Amino acid sequence: MLEHLFSDVEAFVRADGAVAVALVLFFECLGAPLPGESMLIFSGFMAARGEISMWALLPAAWLGSTAGGAVGYLIGRLAGRTAILRWGARVGLTPERWGRVEATFSKYGPAAVVFARFFNILRQLNGVVAGAAGLPWWSFMAANAVGAAMWTTFWAGGTYLFGGAIAGHIGSLEKAGEAMLHTPAAWVALAVLLAATAAAFVLWRRRAAAGA
């Protein structure tokens, strides 16, 4: 399954390079079911092998992701709230639930925008929800840019740093993942990310409880 997914990603990246990465991330941030993280990981491996420039990959990935979030925000701001209130109940997003989402973005909006990048579905709808919830444009764009930088650097940059040594002696993506599990630096990076996410969640819960 992974081999089929990455073979499709590989063909696209090999054909169009960093431009392909930017386009996929742009449309993924508008809600399209595209393999954004998979593309970043594979592109990082390509950069580690010298098949694509990391200096082109990271700016392109950041630009595509940031631009997609910005367009999603505009869509949400112009039509999203009305559409969500009208049709959201069909997918379980009732007006009551939407009210809680809106209140959360109003209170913790920038932090929510940053950390949503690391979660599937939330990443795709991040901009639309922020725009529909009325998060100020400049606050959203600052958090959107920071979140996109963190997310693209973590996946593409992390794979680039650890992928060079791994790709030299393995032949499949499954073996690459297994080898990464035995790389101490990978575990350290994962631990730091999990600790930061947990700390942000605990802080959010405490503030939510205090404001209740």
Side-chain angles (χ1 to χ4, degrees):
M1 180 177 180
L2 282 174
E3 291 178 353
H4 290 299
L5 173 62
F6 275 79
S7 64
D8 293 339
V9 170
E10 178 179 3
F12 194 23
V13 177
R14 289 189 185 282
D16 298 294
V19 174
V21 176
L23 287 174
V24 167
L25 296 186
F26 175 82
F27 286 107
E28 187 201 31
C29 289
L30 290 178
L34 296 172
E37 285 181 356
S38 301
M39 174 164 279
L40 285 175
I41 293 170
F42 180 77
S43 299
F45 273 109
M46 288 185 65
R49 295 195 298 261
E51 299 177 29
I52 186 174
S53 171
M54 198 64 180
W55 296 107
L57 173 60
L58 282 181
W62 175 82
L63 182 61
S65 183
T66 302
V71 173
Y73 175 93
L74 293 176
I75 293 173
R77 193 63 181 265
L78 294 174
R81 192 175 191 279
T82 301
I84 289 173
L85 290 176
R86 183 174 182 180
W87 305 106
R90 297 189 176 187
V91 294
L93 189 57
T94 63
E96 292 75 18
R97 289 180 179 176
W98 171 250
R100 291 196 292 271
V101 171
E102 199 169 33
T104 299
F105 266 84
S106 297
K107 193 171 184 179
Y108 307 106
V113 170
V114 171
F115 284 99
R117 284 282 178 182
F118 292 89
F119 299 93
N120 199 26
I121 303 302
L122 292 180
R123 179 174 63 256
Q124 285 87 337
L125 299 177
N126 197 11
V128 175
V129 173
L135 187 69
W137 166 255
W138 290 114
S139 295
F140 169 77
M141 282 304 298
N144 182 40
V146 170
M150 291 173 59
W151 178 62
T152 55
T153 301
F154 178 81
W155 287 112
T159 306
Y160 172 79
L161 290 176
F162 303 122
I166 295 171
H169 59 81
I170 56 175
S172 69
L173 193 63
E174 287 86 350
K175 290 182 180 179
E178 183 178 350
M180 263 190 166
L181 293 178
H182 293 86
T183 304
W187 283 103
V188 171
L190 179 60
V192 170
L193 176 63
L194 291 176
T197 303
F201 178 76
V202 170
L203 180 61
W204 176 80
R205 292 284 295 178
R206 288 179 178 176
R207 289 183 177 178

